[in-house]
Each structure stands twice: as C-alpha cells, then as structure tokens.
Amino acid sequence: MVPTLRNKKSAISKSDAVYRALKRAILDQALAAGAKLPEDSIGERLGVSRTIVRQALARLSGEGLIELRPHKGACVAQPSLEEAHHIFAVRQALETLVVDTLIGKLTQQQIRQLEAHVEAEDMARASNASSSIQLAGEFHVLLAKLTENDVLLRYVTELVSRSSLILSLYGRPHSPDCAVSEHRELIAALDSNEREKACALMRHHIDAITTRALLKGSSENDLPDVLATYAREEGL
C-alpha cells in the first residue's frame, strides 16, 4: 500500500511528539545520563512504531543528547566536564558571532519578538523551572534564527541542546533571574546598535553559564514510568 499524505503527516507528527517527550525527559533528568533507550520499550510505552522511535532518536543524536552505539542501541549522552568546557567555549565564540551579525539589522518588530520571548521566560521562572530553562535556551536559538544564516542556526541549536544537557547534569542551582536580566540587557544593546557592548554581554553571559558547572549525582528511573507523564503531555 502506498502511504497517503495524511498518513505521512501523522507519522511526522508522532515522531515530533516522541522527540519532544524524550528530549524533555532527558533535560529534566527524569532519564539519567547513560540510561539505555531501547526502541521497543519506548515504542510500546508511547504507542508508536519502532520506526517512529528511531526517527526521534536520530534527531536527538544529532543534537548530542543521546548516543547511538552500533549493536548496543541508544543511551542518554553523558558528556564529561572537559567536553562541557569545550562545548561552552565553542558556543561563546559562535554566539558572539550571532550578536555581531545582528547589529544594525534588527527591525523593531524583531526587537519586540525578542522582548516578548523574555517576558515568557520571566513568567515561567516562578511557576515552571523546566519551562524556564527551555525558554532560556530557545532565546539563544531565536537570536541565531534572526541572522538568517542556516549554518549558524544549525550549530547554535545543537550547542544549546548540548549545553542544556550539561547544565542538567552539572549545573549548580541558580536564580533564573540571572538569565532574564542578562537577556534584557543584551536586547537593549542590540536595539541601540552597541556592537562592542552587545558582544561583551554575550561573552559574559555564556561565561557565567559555564562557571556554574558543578558535578552532582543523578538517580536511575524506570523508563516506562518516566515516559508516562511526558507521553500524556504530548498527546501520545
């Protein structure tokens, strides 16, 4: 039977939902670093085929959140502290380039778009820590998207995902007020076309995130039980 357009869209939709559910479970540390991610167990729990699970795992692998090991299956990535520092060093360089690229090019509508995103961060920080962290990362992806440089966007997106995993593993507890205020300062510098100040703010911001790294333990959780909540929230 030839797949219909509706069936293809349904498969893509389910793959997206599985991807989002797994990503949130990983970044929330509901799935511990090194935890195995068997396709059959995930598919059974989420009510989807192994093919759909495999597509979602491939996307997560591309973002550095999981490792696909030949003949051993997938597992949650477990970056070392040394690798973490390397990732943040590259991220600092690329995101400074993002800011430098945006100077003098942002419209007032785009500035308002950035401000609205930070307002959402501010609202989430008091009620939903997980959502607040996710929105903070998405702010950096939005900046990269506004450069209209697809290569830069792809690399920044991957680095932000890897950074989120690293912070979930090693990050010291800190006030989300820091990210909100730093993002607002950055937007103000971009709006006033202050190139040196904006680049310095971004370097300082990424450096501040890096220095929060502190090793801490993680707990093992049962895969089906962990995924149940995320599956319901994604409509699976």
Side-chain angles (χ1 to χ4, degrees):
M1 176 182 289
V2 179
T4 65
L5 181 59
R6 179 177 295 179
N7 288 338
K8 287 182 179 179
K9 288 183 176 180
S10 177
I12 292 172
S13 177
K14 286 185 177 180
S15 178
D16 285 341
V18 172
Y19 159 79
R20 290 192 301 267
L22 288 172
K23 182 173 183 175
R24 290 181 55 219
I26 291 170
L27 296 183
D28 287 351
Q29 281 190 282
L31 293 173
K36 294 182 179 179
L37 300 170
E39 293 175 5
D40 52 354
S41 296
I42 295 173
E44 183 178 350
R45 162 48 68 184
L46 301 184
V48 297
S49 69
R50 292 183 62 175
T51 299
I52 287 176
V53 174
R54 196 174 299 122
Q55 291 170 347
L57 292 176
R59 288 179 65 182
L60 293 168
S61 175
E63 293 182 13
L65 295 181
I66 71 168
E67 297 174 2
L68 296 177
R69 303 167 299 178
H71 311 300
K72 293 184 178 180
C75 69
V76 178
Q78 193 169 12
S80 66
L81 280 172
E82 181 180 12
E83 183 181 357
H85 284 288
H86 291 165
I87 287 171
F88 278 113
V90 175
R91 181 176 169 185
Q92 185 182 65
L94 284 183
E95 294 216 50
T96 301
L97 175 60
V98 167
V99 169
D100 187 64
T101 302
L102 291 175
I103 289 294
K105 296 181 180 178
L106 290 175
T107 65
Q108 282 305 301
Q109 182 179 355
Q110 290 171 326
I111 291 293
R112 288 193 294 272
Q113 183 182 4
L114 290 167
E115 290 173 339
H117 188 97
V118 176
E119 284 301 316
E121 288 181 52
D122 200 14
M123 292 178 63
R125 66 185 173 85
S127 59
N128 191 326
S130 175
S131 178
S132 177
I133 293 171
Q134 181 178 339
L135 286 168
E138 289 175 355
F139 173 79
H140 292 264
V141 174
L142 176 57
L143 284 174
K145 186 176 182 180
L146 292 175
T147 67
E148 298 183 349
N149 183 325
D150 290 340
V151 176
L152 193 53
L153 173 60
R154 183 168 70 249
Y155 285 127
V156 169
T157 300
E158 178 181 339
L159 289 169
V160 167
S161 288
R162 292 190 178 212
S163 299
S164 297
L165 173 61
I166 289 163
L167 287 171
S168 73
L169 293 175
Y170 303 120
R172 256 199 317 264
H174 68 283
S175 172
D177 293 347
C178 297
V180 170
S181 62
E182 289 166 8
H183 288 175
R184 282 178 171 152
E185 288 179 23
L186 183 57
I187 293 172
L190 288 169
D191 190 24
S192 56
N193 295 327
E194 298 177 85
R195 185 183 303 275
E196 290 186 10
K197 182 178 180 179
C199 290
L201 284 170
M202 179 59 84
R203 285 193 294 268
H204 173 76
H205 181 47
I206 301 299
D207 189 57
I209 298 172
T210 307
T211 56
R212 293 180 189 129
L214 182 67
L215 183 64
K216 65 180 181 181
S218 58
S219 59
E220 293 288 341
N221 294 297
D222 183 68
L223 178 64
D225 291 341
V226 163
L227 291 181
T229 299
Y230 295 94
R232 286 195 297 270
E233 292 180 359
E234 294 297 341
L236 291 166

